[in-house]
Amino acid sequence: MTIQENISLRPFNTFGVEVSARYFAEVNSVEELIQTLRQAQCDNLKLSNPQTLQLFLGGGSNLLLTKDFEGLVIRLNLKGITEEIINVNEILITAKSGENWHQFVMFCLEKNYGGLENLSLIPGNVGTSPMQNIGAYGTEIKDVFESCKVLNLETLEIETLNAEQCRFGYRDSIFKQEGKGKYVILEVTFRLTRNIHRIDVAYGAIQSELENIGIINPTIQDVSRAVINIRQSKLPDPKEIGNAGSFFKNPTIPLAQYETLKLKFENIPGYPNGDFVKVPAGWLIEQCGWKGKQIGNVASHKLQALVIINATGNATGKEIFDFSTMIIDSVKEKYGIELEREVNII
Ligand code: EPU
């Protein structure tokens, strides 16, 4: 393990944005990670405030780099999967943070372990999955999360956090709140099923896709196939077009505000949740005329307005950020709703 200087981060972010890291190291084990952090402190690498001048990279799939990074970027490449049978129907399966998420899901499905199938084909690594409590098609990782091991950056001690301590919310967790910059996720343990699976096909799009492919009693593998088909049909593959999935969160607004909007915009969709209503940001963005629209190197995806793409491959992080600001402004102006970015802005 060596600390390199002036390294391009283009291969390490799915937007494919060209920025450089002043210092860069790739670590393959917890020992290497701790050694790198100690070395950085010793060498003082001009890291006057290590907490803000360190960036830990996983798959780089939920990240927008807007400028060269002046500190130390550490790419986490910890690998390995272990299993522990709990009882006749449950297994605890632990993956190190550098495992690719989709390959991990496929590994579980090959062994017929259920619980992650609705989360097939999400870009990124296992280690970043708890950060934003990744979710799709009716499942969030909090539904199958058992615990995670983290390195506490203040003490350099390893700690274990359970689901409650992670404080999961919609695209949210302790790692985006008070734990931000405090922990590095080293591995994640999931509680999955071995025989009797909970098949969740409540999400409308899954049902229609299963009908399309002629499946009546789906297995977990069938659900995964349906999810993969849906995602491939409307979400751009980051290997082909730079993007970071949904750029914004779906906003939640008070019921009263939703009812007022409904008087003026009778087609506005909404998913009620207590005294609040979740409104699809993709719909709001499309209604403001952004779907498929390109300005310079940046566009809103033609099949899913919520996804911002690096349309030419040459977009800068700042251009993408400015494009997202224009979207926020126009949605605010038309609907009075303030969209919040889901992607981590650095
Ligand atoms: N819609 C539009 N126009 C668009 C896109 C969406 O009108 O261009 C409306 C439609 O009414 C549609 C509704 O939005 O019925 C919901 O769309 P979709 O099912 O595609 O889901 P989403 O709310 O846009 C969320 C997640 C996705 C996840 C899907 C499926 C967020 C921010 N995004 O998108 O997650 O795959 O549901 O569960 O919650 C991600 O986080 O990167 C991501 C892709």
Side-chain angles (χ1 to χ4, degrees), residues 135-204:
Y137 307 104
T139 301
E140 292 181 333
I141 72 148
K142 73 168 172 44
D143 305 328
V144 283
F145 179 94
E146 177 73 10
S147 63
C148 63
K149 275 206 176 118
V150 297
L151 182 72
N152 183 326
L153 289 170
E154 285 159 11
T155 59
L156 291 192
E157 299 283 331
I158 294 174
E159 297 174 18
T160 300
L161 301 183
N162 63 25
E164 197 186 327
Q165 289 166 313
C166 288
R167 304 232 203 103
F168 293 122
Y170 166 61
R171 294 294 191 275
D172 200 23
S173 73
I174 188 170
F175 305 108
K176 286 176 91 174
Q177 302 296 335
E178 61 273 36
K180 193 171 179 176
K182 184 175 170 192
Y183 301 113
V184 181
I185 298 170
L186 304 172
E187 61 180 47
V188 188
T189 301
F190 301 93
R191 184 179 285 262
L192 303 182
T193 49
R194 299 172 61 211
N195 302 305
I196 306 162
H197 304 302
R198 197 179 61 86
I199 304 277
D200 184 354
V201 292
Y203 205 91

Side-chain angles (χ1 to χ4, degrees), residues 48-284:
S48 49
N49 180 356
Q51 293 291 312
T52 54
L53 281 173
Q54 280 166 0
L55 173 64
F56 297 90
L57 271 187
S61 60
N62 198 43
L63 182 74
L64 179 63
L65 298 161
T66 56
K67 52 183 179 300
D68 288 341
F69 193 76
E70 292 307 323
L72 170 64
V73 173
I74 298 182
R75 182 149 194 268
L76 299 159
N77 199 28
L78 283 59
K79 301 275 189 191
I81 298 175
T82 54
E83 305 170 31
E84 184 194 345
I85 291 176
I86 295 299
N87 58 41
V88 78
N89 197 42
E90 286 180 307
I91 184 153
L92 291 180
I93 182 150
T94 300
K96 301 253 192 256
S97 62
E99 290 288 343
N100 171 272
W101 175 263
H102 180 63
Q103 282 168 14
F104 172 60
V105 172
M106 290 295 111
F107 172 91
C108 294
L109 287 168
E110 269 161 36
K111 296 208 155 198
N112 200 35
Y113 300 153
L116 299 177
E117 54 281 358
N118 295 46
L119 303 176
S120 299
L121 211 61
I122 294 185
N125 286 357
V126 170
T128 33
S129 63
M131 284 211 166
Q132 48 155 350
N133 179 25
I134 57 170
Y137 307 104
T139 301
E140 292 181 333
I141 72 148
K142 73 168 172 44
D143 305 328
V144 283
F145 179 94
E146 177 73 10
S147 63
C148 63
K149 275 206 176 118
V150 297
L151 182 72
N152 183 326
L153 289 170
E154 285 159 11
T155 59
L156 291 192
E157 299 283 331
I158 294 174
E159 297 174 18
T160 300
L161 301 183
N162 63 25
E164 197 186 327
Q165 289 166 313
C166 288
R167 304 232 203 103
F168 293 122
Y170 166 61
R171 294 294 191 275
D172 200 23
S173 73
I174 188 170
F175 305 108
K176 286 176 91 174
Q177 302 296 335
E178 61 273 36
K180 193 171 179 176
K182 184 175 170 192
Y183 301 113
V184 181
I185 298 170
L186 304 172
E187 61 180 47
V188 188
T189 301
F190 301 93
R191 184 179 285 262
L192 303 182
T193 49
R194 299 172 61 211
N195 302 305
I196 306 162
H197 304 302
R198 197 179 61 86
I199 304 277
D200 184 354
V201 292
Y203 205 91
I206 298 193
Q207 278 173 14
S208 20
E209 182 55 28
L210 286 169
E211 274 168 35
N212 275 347
I213 51 180
I215 286 164
I216 294 158
N217 288 315
T219 62
I220 51 176
Q221 290 78 9
D222 294 330
V223 174
S224 167
R225 170 60 23 216
V227 167
I228 290 172
N229 289 352
I230 301 165
R231 292 189 76 99
Q232 284 177 336
S233 73
K234 62 178 180 184
L235 293 170
D237 179 350
K239 287 197 202 89
E240 287 158 22
I241 306 174
N243 76 89
S246 300
F247 198 91
F248 303 98
K249 289 186 184 184
N250 284 327
T252 300
I253 60 172
L255 185 57
Q257 185 185 358
Y258 179 76
E259 279 165 354
T260 310
L261 280 169
K262 189 103 187 151
L263 296 175
K264 198 166 164 202
F265 307 101
E266 57 182 28
N267 295 329
I268 186 170
Y271 309 104
N273 183 3
D275 292 339
F276 292 86
V277 178
K278 193 184 260 191
V279 182
W283 186 89
L284 297 168

Side-chain angles (χ1 to χ4, degrees), residues 9-45:
L9 295 178
R10 190 173 207 150
F12 305 120
N13 73 97
T14 60
F15 259 122
V17 162
E18 177 64 71
V19 293
S20 66
R22 180 74 182 87
Y23 302 99
F24 179 88
E26 187 154 40
V27 297
N28 299 303
S29 65
V30 181
E31 295 70 33
E32 277 188 10
L33 171 60
I34 295 176
Q35 203 187 332
T36 306
L37 292 168
R38 292 221 165 100
Q39 188 182 330
Q41 265 172 0
C42 271
D43 294 357
N44 192 19
L45 297 186

